[in-house]
Amino acid sequence: MKKLFALVLAVAMLASMATVAFAAENTTTKSTTLTTTVPTATYTLNIPENQEITYGEEKSFIGNVTITDGVNFEKGKNIEVAVMYSGKFEADNVSTTIPFTVLASQYKTADESSSFYGEIVISDGECLTFHGKSDTTVSEKAYAEFKNGSSSTKEAYVESLCISIKGENWGKALAGEYTATIMFTAEVVVEE
Amino acid sequence: MGKGRFEKPAQGRFPFITVVLAVICVVLVILLLQTCQHTPENSSESTVPETTVVKNEGSISIPGYEMLELKADSKQQTIALSNPPQNNCYFEISLYLEDGTLLWKSQLIEPGDATEPIVLTKELSKGYYPKSVLRYACFTMDTDRTPLNGAETKVTLWVK
């Protein structure tokens, strides 16, 4: 009886070792896929409609570019608005053109304590930046920096755009009804 | 067992009380009806506040999206695009891929209106199409249809 029991135990031990050997050779790997969805940001871009520029005026305010109704933004997730324009007023059947430049010219300080006049030329294709905020909205007005020499920087927000036409260019234009359009291109971007 | 006493009601008194009660009821009903006719819900001048739109003065509002979802392998889509009600101009909206391929163009859209679900010029395969462009051409609402300042918004098309 003892011999029989010992034989059974030996066989059982051998069988369990084989099982261990099989386990070592048939390893399976499982993985878990993690997913997350970043919500889409939406906003409303508000641009100047159309402005009648008074003949002879060298600086004409044309309103502002603003962003409202911003949703699903964050600090570091901004909107850049490129300002594109031909740089000249043209008229049908008139050979002359009237060159102009777009300026960002009226500002309010970042702490909203004061307004001031300054000029930053916005070249064709240059961007205005509207910063995303940690409360998931986005700044209504474009950000700008003014440097006083190399010592200090004044942070401000753009309050108005301006069309600048040199006096001499008015003088070189033949009579006619001139028009020009400005195209604004907005894009959601993330800071690097 | 003794007989109980039964007192007959006074002749003429009961009908008088009935009449008085009936008159009072009629008066109350009339007053109630008159009150209902003059309640705010039934008055000809509605006091339910209506949503009023404050129109833009000198500016145009352009909707912007970081991403739009489209159906793969189908020209017919479910999304529609709109002209915000606060505008004073027509929109003509176009959708382009980054390489300039025109996917869709709308008719003139009045402020407050939206397009029908858009129908693309070509089917798109599944995937992301970054830097696609929604172009908004804006026009005056008179017969001249004078072009106004326009805008473009760059958008990623998620086709799935």
Side-chain angles (χ1 to χ4, degrees):
Chain A
M1 187 63 183
K2 284 184 182 178
K3 288 181 182 176
L4 179 62
F5 191 62
L7 182 63
V8 168
L9 281 178
V11 170
M13 185 183 70
L14 287 172
S16 67
M17 286 168 67
T19 302
V20 169
F22 284 139
E25 291 175 2
N26 292 294
T27 304
T28 56
T29 302
K30 300 280 186 184
S31 65
T32 298
T33 301
L34 305 176
T35 59
T36 184
T37 302
V38 177
T40 298
T42 60
Y43 57 94
T44 299
L45 169 68
N46 304 290
I47 62 172
E49 182 182 83
N50 221 30
Q51 302 294 334
E52 178 76 25
I53 306 297
T54 304
Y55 173 74
E57 287 287 334
E58 294 194 19
K59 295 277 191 319
S60 302
F61 290 102
I62 61 168
N64 200 6
V65 175
T66 61
I67 301 286
T68 52
D69 310 317
V71 174
N72 293 328
F73 285 88
E74 260 304 337
K75 207 169 182 181
K77 188 172 188 175
N78 307 326
I79 297 176
E80 285 190 349
V81 179
V83 182
M84 291 180 291
Y85 58 101
S86 63
K88 52 187 177 184
F89 286 87
E90 295 175 293
D92 290 338
N93 302 315
V94 177
S95 59
T96 56
T97 60
I98 307 173
F100 70 94
T101 308
V102 176
L103 308 175
S105 60
Q106 198 70 26
Y107 297 88
K108 184 168 276 188
T109 53
D111 60 7
E112 299 192 355
S113 60
S114 63
S115 298
F116 63 95
Y117 182 86
E119 289 185 1
I120 297 179
V121 174
I122 302 177
S123 304
D124 176 34
E126 202 163 324
C127 289
L128 300 171
T129 300
F130 298 78
H131 288 137
K133 299 180 183 177
S134 53
D135 65 359
T136 75
T137 62
V138 63
S139 175
E140 182 180 345
K141 295 177 184 171
Y143 175 82
E145 281 185 356
F146 289 85
K147 295 190 186 302
N148 295 326
S150 59
S151 57
S152 64
T153 301
K154 182 190 284 185
E155 294 185 322
Y157 292 98
V158 178
E159 291 277 314
S160 181
L161 301 179
C162 171
I163 298 293
S164 173
I165 302 173
K166 293 180 181 176
E168 64 199 54
N169 289 329
W170 283 116
K172 294 175 185 175
L174 294 172
E177 190 167 307
Y178 293 74
T179 58
T181 55
I182 305 174
M183 178 69 79
F184 301 92
T185 300
E187 183 177 12
V188 177
V189 297
V190 289
E191 291 177 5
E192 294 179 6
Chain B
M1 182 184 292
K3 291 186 180 177
R5 290 172 61 86
F6 171 70
E7 199 170 286
K8 288 169 75 173
Q11 294 290 334
R13 190 187 307 166
F14 184 70
F16 176 73
I17 292 173
T18 305
V19 168
V20 167
L21 285 174
V23 167
I24 291 171
C25 286
V26 168
V27 167
L28 285 173
V29 167
I30 291 170
L31 286 174
L32 189 63
L33 285 174
Q34 286 183 338
T35 304
C36 287
Q37 286 173 356
H38 287 96
T39 55
E41 292 78 22
N42 295 323
S43 77
S44 58
E45 293 179 3
S46 170
T47 58
V48 176
E50 293 179 353
T51 303
T52 55
V53 175
V54 178
K55 285 290 191 179
N56 286 336
E57 287 186 20
S59 66
I60 302 173
S61 296
I62 309 286
Y65 313 92
E66 180 184 7
M67 183 179 288
L68 288 176
E69 290 183 22
L70 297 179
K71 283 166 50 174
D73 306 317
S74 171
K75 290 184 180 179
Q76 180 67 55
Q77 302 294 322
T78 57
I79 66 164
L81 298 171
S82 62
N83 184 352
Q86 63 266 35
N87 283 331
N88 292 296
C89 60
Y90 287 119
F91 272 6
E92 181 186 78
I93 309 174
S94 311
L95 176 63
Y96 297 85
L97 292 176
E98 184 181 8
D99 65 4
T101 302
L102 175 65
L103 287 178
W104 167 79
K105 189 170 189 173
S106 75
Q107 303 292 319
L108 289 179
I109 309 166
E110 285 192 16
D113 277 358
T115 65
E116 296 293 320
I118 69 174
V119 180
L120 303 179
T121 56
K122 56 181 274 187
E123 297 171 2
L124 295 176
S125 309
K126 284 184 183 179
Y128 289 91
Y129 297 78
K131 297 194 183 297
S132 299
V133 175
L134 276 170
R135 181 172 297 162
Y136 292 82
C138 308
F139 302 91
T140 58
M141 299 187 73
D142 54 20
T143 52
D144 292 337
R145 301 283 193 268
T146 305
L148 301 170
N149 286 329
E152 293 181 348
T153 60
K154 292 198 177 171
V155 59
T156 296
L157 301 180
W158 182 14
V159 183
K160 56 178 184 175

